[in-house]
Structures are given as C-alpha cells and as structure tokens.
Amino acid sequence: MWSGLFTHLTESWNNFKGLDPNYTTWMDVMEKHGYRTQKFGKLDYTSGHHSVSNRVEAWTRDVAFLLRQEGRPMVNLFPKKTKVRVMEKDWRNTDRAVNWLRKEAINYTQPFVLYLGLNLPHPYPSPSSGENFGASTFRTSLYWLKKVSYDAIKIPKWLPLSEMHPIDYYSSYTKNCTGKFTEKEIKNIRAFYYAMCAETDAMLGEIILALRQLDLLQKTIVIYTSDHGELAMEHRQFYKMSMYEASAHVPLLIMGPGIQANLQVSNVVSLVDIYPTMLDIAGIPLPQNLSGYSLLPLSSETLKDEDKFKNLHPPWILSEFHGCNVNASTYMLRTNQWKYVAYSDGASELPQLFDLSSDPDELTNIATKFPEITFSLDQKLRSIINYPKVSASVHQYNKEQFIKWKQSVGQNYSNVIANLRWHQDWLKEPRKYESAIDQWLKTHTNPKNSEQK
C-alpha cells in the first residue's frame, strides 16, 4: 500500500523486514507536491517494529517441527457495560486526528492529507501478555456487543483435520486452533469480532462528523480500508496470514467529490492500487514502475460505460505472504471467479484452486479436477512473478537472518526461544527442537554461511 509495489519487489518479507525507513511513500510524494501531511496511529511499513518472536517464527518456519505460537483464541467482555471506548489507544489517536482537523487543517491554504492507522479490529494481546505473546483475545463491551445480531451469526464449516491442506494444518496448529471448540465458543469469537468492527466504524464516524462540521466533507476524499482481514474461526483458524477470503479480502470504501455515490465496483482490486490512486487524486503524474493502478477511473462519476471498466485494471490481483504462522511462501492469483494459490517452489506442496462463484466458502480444492485451469492460472502467475525463485530467496534470507540472530544471543538462544510465544511446547522438549534447527541449518546452506556458523 505504501510503496505501490508487489512485496517481492521491495523484499519486505515479513513483519520485521518492512520498507527501508527512508523509503519514498505516496505521502512523501504528495508532501513534495505541496500537500500538508499528517499521520496518526499504527504505521507498520518500516523495519524493526515487531517482536523477537515474530522474527524467529518467520525465520524458522522451514524447520521440521510443529509448535503452538499463539494463545488459544478466546473472548473477553469488558466488565463495565456502558464502556464505549474499549480500545483506548485507537480512540486517543482518533481524537488527535479530529483535533488536527479542527486546529490545523481548517486553517491551511494548501490541500492536506491525513492518515489514521487503527489497531482495531485486530485481536488484543493474550492475557499472559508481554511483547512475545500472541494477540488472541477478542475483547469488547456490552455496548458494542448489543449492536451485533447474534442469531444471524453463522458457524463456518470445517474440513476434518485429516483432510486439511498441509499448509492450512500447519497454520491451524501453530495458531492453537486444532483442539476442540464448542459452537458457542466459535459464535462468541465471531460476535466479539463484529462488535470490534462496530467500534472501529464509530471511529471513522468521528472523522466524518468532524469533516462535516468544519465544512470540509464536500471537498475531501475519504478512503477506508484495512491491511488484512480476520478469519475469526473460518477454516479452523483465527488471525490472518492466509489467502482465504476472510483474511485476504479487505474493505475498500471511497467517498468524496468526483466519486460516484452508491456505486459498487465488482472488479478485483488491490491495496497496491492505493499508491497510484492517491497520486491520481492529487493530479500528480504516476511513476512508470508501479505495480498498481489508479482506482479513480473505476469510481469516477464521469465513467458511465461499464465495458470500459475492464480496460482500466487487469482482471487479476496478486497477493503473496512470506511471514510467520505459514510454513511456506504463499502466492495467490485472484480473478472474479477463480482463486489459485501456489506454495513454495510450486512442486513440493500441492496448489489450491477454488471456484468462488460456486464455492464462496472455499471448501473444495478443485486443482486436480480441473488441470487445464490450474495450469493456465499457474502460467499466468509465473508470468507476473517467478515464484519458485522468490521462495528460494526467502528461504536463504530466513536462514541467514536466523544465523545472525543466533550468533548475537550466543549459546543462550534456546533459552531466549523458551520465553517467546512457543514457550509451552518448547520447554517440554527443548533438545528435540534444537536438533531440528541444527538439521535445518545443515541443509542447503551455502559455504559462506557454513563458515559463519
């Protein structure tokens, strides 16, 4: 979103290795072109802001072991029934954004761009807490929970553990979701998640209200989106790090002058399109190397011919993931009807193919049933990204980074891991897991790294 480039082009492989701190974002470009800019809240695109646990989990995902890295997903009801501001940090940042609009933006003669990054509806840190423990608690108050139609909540269908795709099984296990869950537990997690979404929406409402009161709403474009979704117990998982719709499909709402009201665009688009869209809104020429496309023509009041939509954006999107809680680099090619998901080198793990028009819940992998479609989509994916080569680069990066980290903590590395999110499993059989890491480091390590060890 911030670079306008696919992940493999910026090599932002995980939550620790983001963009370089001095990377030129769309906001930097707008500032150079005379915009007053301001950022509040969560900014996740630079390097070094995530825990040791996140790093070690991502680097060692190729090791042949299964370790539970998360607290078990659970709900937590705030004791005060009338509590409105449950996520106080997000509300503070919303207040800061509103105050900035009232005191600063209103007085500018230049145009402004304001970014507000919220943590909700992301789950909260586990009760055991500390930076190295999982965010597995869905927390809200009765005030928000009452806004959810509990009876309308559906229990998602699950494949039996034995029938899960091996990559999905790894993710489910490492997120501590392979145990037994009652229907009530699942329904509660989903209800609390929806309540957290309602609280998030209220924060957006505060921004829109401030813009209206300041007579800025009619001349301000507002974009509302998210960096990822929430599985909320779909596919026997919570959290993200998955190409299933609940994780990869995010909201994207645009309103403002020149934007057609009540228009729903069915085209598949991507967060990589935000960069060119922001520059297009500002009338700034787009750089040639961007991976995304401006969404302005798709939403414009001047565009009446729907057939023209098809020429404004490719009929596919690419998504890729190389971080923790998944034990292989993952690549998704998505069209309106099809979702094709390839893993690692494309050969060591079977791909997945879903027909979203007939199987919106993504329960039936039809990759072997329709080999021609699978082959065609794989060829298209390879024309966009040489994914076996990218996976090999990530494998090498993970190994090199782990070796550097291991050297930095010395012989104590196992004790450090024993205090990360793996602690419950690791402490039972540390020698077994150390041995698996040693075996991994011996395999496919180039001579340079062997000397470093």
Side-chain angles (χ1 to χ4, degrees):
M1 184 180 92
W2 288 97
S3 69
L5 297 174
F6 292 135
T7 299
H8 64 279
L9 299 175
T10 60
E11 298 186 346
S12 304
W13 298 133
N14 56 46
N15 268 0
F16 177 63
K17 191 183 184 301
L19 299 174
D20 293 333
N22 58 351
Y23 194 94
T24 303
T25 68
W26 52 262
M27 194 175 256
D28 297 324
V29 176
M30 291 178 80
E31 192 167 27
K32 284 175 190 166
H33 282 79
Y35 273 73
R36 291 295 189 100
T37 65
Q38 183 58 265
K39 299 188 280 268
F40 292 109
K42 191 176 180 182
L43 288 169
D44 263 4
Y45 60 83
T46 54
S47 300
H49 293 298
H50 282 77
S51 69
V52 174
S53 211
N54 272 130
R55 286 174 242 173
V56 175
E57 289 157 26
W59 296 333
T60 58
R61 61 186 195 160
D62 301 323
V63 183
F65 55 42
L66 273 175
L67 289 160
R68 298 183 195 279
Q69 299 175 7
E70 299 285 349
R72 179 183 165 100
M74 58 178 287
V75 297
N76 179 258
L77 192 64
F78 202 89
K80 191 179 176 186
K81 291 182 181 179
T82 55
K83 180 80 170 174
V84 175
R85 296 189 164 209
V86 180
M87 173 49 94
E88 291 179 357
K89 191 174 179 181
D90 278 351
W91 280 107
R92 281 197 299 274
N93 283 320
T94 302
D95 290 343
R96 289 170 71 201
V98 166
N99 288 336
W100 183 82
L101 287 170
R102 292 188 186 283
K103 293 175 182 175
E104 303 281 339
I106 192 67
N107 297 316
Y108 290 152
T109 51
Q110 301 154 277
F112 70 84
V113 55
L114 167 67
Y115 173 84
L116 172 61
L118 302 173
N119 204 61
L120 276 185
H122 198 294
Y124 289 76
S126 311
S128 47
S129 209
E131 72 147 354
N132 295 322
F133 293 90
S136 56
T137 302
F138 293 80
R139 191 178 199 210
T140 193
S141 69
L142 249 137
Y143 178 88
W144 298 111
L145 202 55
K146 281 181 177 175
K147 297 184 182 297
V148 177
S149 302
Y150 195 82
D151 293 339
I153 297 169
K154 292 177 182 171
I155 303 288
K157 291 176 184 173
W158 288 353
L159 292 175
L161 288 172
S162 58
E163 291 178 27
M164 288 176 78
H165 188 282
I167 304 288
D168 286 339
Y169 180 81
Y170 175 91
S171 293
S172 188
Y173 189 98
T174 201
K175 292 175 183 179
N176 209 351
C177 290
T178 50
K180 284 190 167 62
F181 286 85
T182 64
E183 283 204 353
K184 188 179 179 185
E185 275 183 289
I186 296 166
K187 207 165 181 178
N188 278 344
I189 286 168
R190 293 173 74 74
F192 276 57
Y193 171 61
Y194 296 142
M196 290 158 69
C197 289
E199 186 177 357
T200 312
D201 288 347
M203 295 173 197
L204 172 65
E206 291 295 310
I207 300 294
I208 291 172
L209 178 64
L211 289 169
R212 182 178 285 124
Q213 290 172 342
L214 297 167
D215 288 329
L216 290 172
L217 193 59
Q218 297 307 313
K219 50 186 176 182
T220 305
I221 289 181
V222 180
I223 300 179
Y224 179 74
T225 190
S226 171
D227 54 345
H228 56 80
E230 168 59 56
L231 285 151
M233 302 313 289
E234 289 189 29
H235 301 279
R236 207 182 187 107
Q237 292 186 45
F238 77 108
Y239 227 9
K240 44 187 176 175
M241 301 109 168
S242 164
M243 295 302 171
Y244 285 121
E245 287 294 276
S247 171
H249 192 158
V250 298
L252 178 57
L253 305 171
I254 306 178
M255 64 180 281
I259 306 296
Q260 191 173 333
N262 303 313
L263 172 70
Q264 286 194 345
V265 178
S266 59
N267 299 49
V268 286
V269 298
S270 166
L271 289 176
V272 83
D273 299 323
I274 296 292
Y275 192 116
T277 302
M278 294 304 296
L279 298 196
D280 204 8
I281 288 169
I284 300 167
L286 305 187
Q288 292 300 304
N289 68 329
L290 295 180
S291 303
Y293 295 78
S294 171
L295 301 175
L296 218 49
L298 289 178
S299 58
S300 170
E301 287 179 340
T302 57
L303 191 78
K304 302 295 180 190
D305 186 356
E306 288 203 14
D307 287 334
K308 288 183 184 173
F309 277 20
K310 295 166 189 170
N311 304 319
L312 297 170
H313 194 288
W316 54 264
I317 53 161
L318 167 75
S319 184
E320 51 183 303
F321 182 71
H322 310 279
C324 59
N325 286 336
V326 183
N327 61 342
S329 286
T330 307
Y331 308 88
M332 175 183 78
L333 186 69
R334 170 83 153 81
T335 67
N336 272 342
Q337 180 179 1
W338 302 104
K339 178 180 289 188
Y340 177 69
V341 186
Y343 298 97
S344 189
D345 57 3
S348 52
E349 295 291 348
L350 288 173
Q352 290 171 298
L353 176 66
F354 300 102
D355 181 349
L356 298 174
S357 60
S358 62
D359 179 25
D361 295 328
E362 302 168 286
L363 293 169
T364 310
N365 179 12
I366 53 174
T368 52
K369 188 178 177 183
F370 294 100
E372 300 88 355
I373 294 169
T374 300
F375 178 77
S376 169
L377 290 169
D378 189 69
Q379 290 300 106
K380 180 63 182 174
L381 177 61
R382 288 170 190 263
S383 74
I384 301 162
I385 174 174
N386 182 347
Y387 71 83
K389 186 180 176 185
V390 171
S391 296
S393 296
V394 179
H395 281 293
Q396 193 61 35
Y397 160 81
N398 285 342
K399 199 164 281 192
E400 287 171 2
Q401 291 300 310
F402 182 80
I403 289 167
K404 280 182 192 172
W405 175 78
K406 186 169 176 277
Q407 286 175 334
S408 74
V409 293
Q411 296 304 310
N412 196 34
Y413 97 94
S414 182
N415 292 336
V416 176
I417 288 181
N419 286 296
L420 303 185
R421 289 196 285 189
W422 287 335
H423 66 290
Q424 288 177 326
D425 283 353
W426 188 274
L427 285 168
K428 289 174 193 168
E429 300 178 275
R431 295 285 174 270
K432 172 185 167 184
Y433 301 124
E434 289 164 27
S435 174
I437 285 178
D438 290 341
Q439 193 59 41
W440 166 62
L441 292 177
K442 283 175 192 166
T443 346
H444 310 305
T445 305
N446 65 33
K448 183 179 74 173
N449 285 334
S450 297
E451 286 164 22
Q452 287 177 347
K453 273 200 299 177

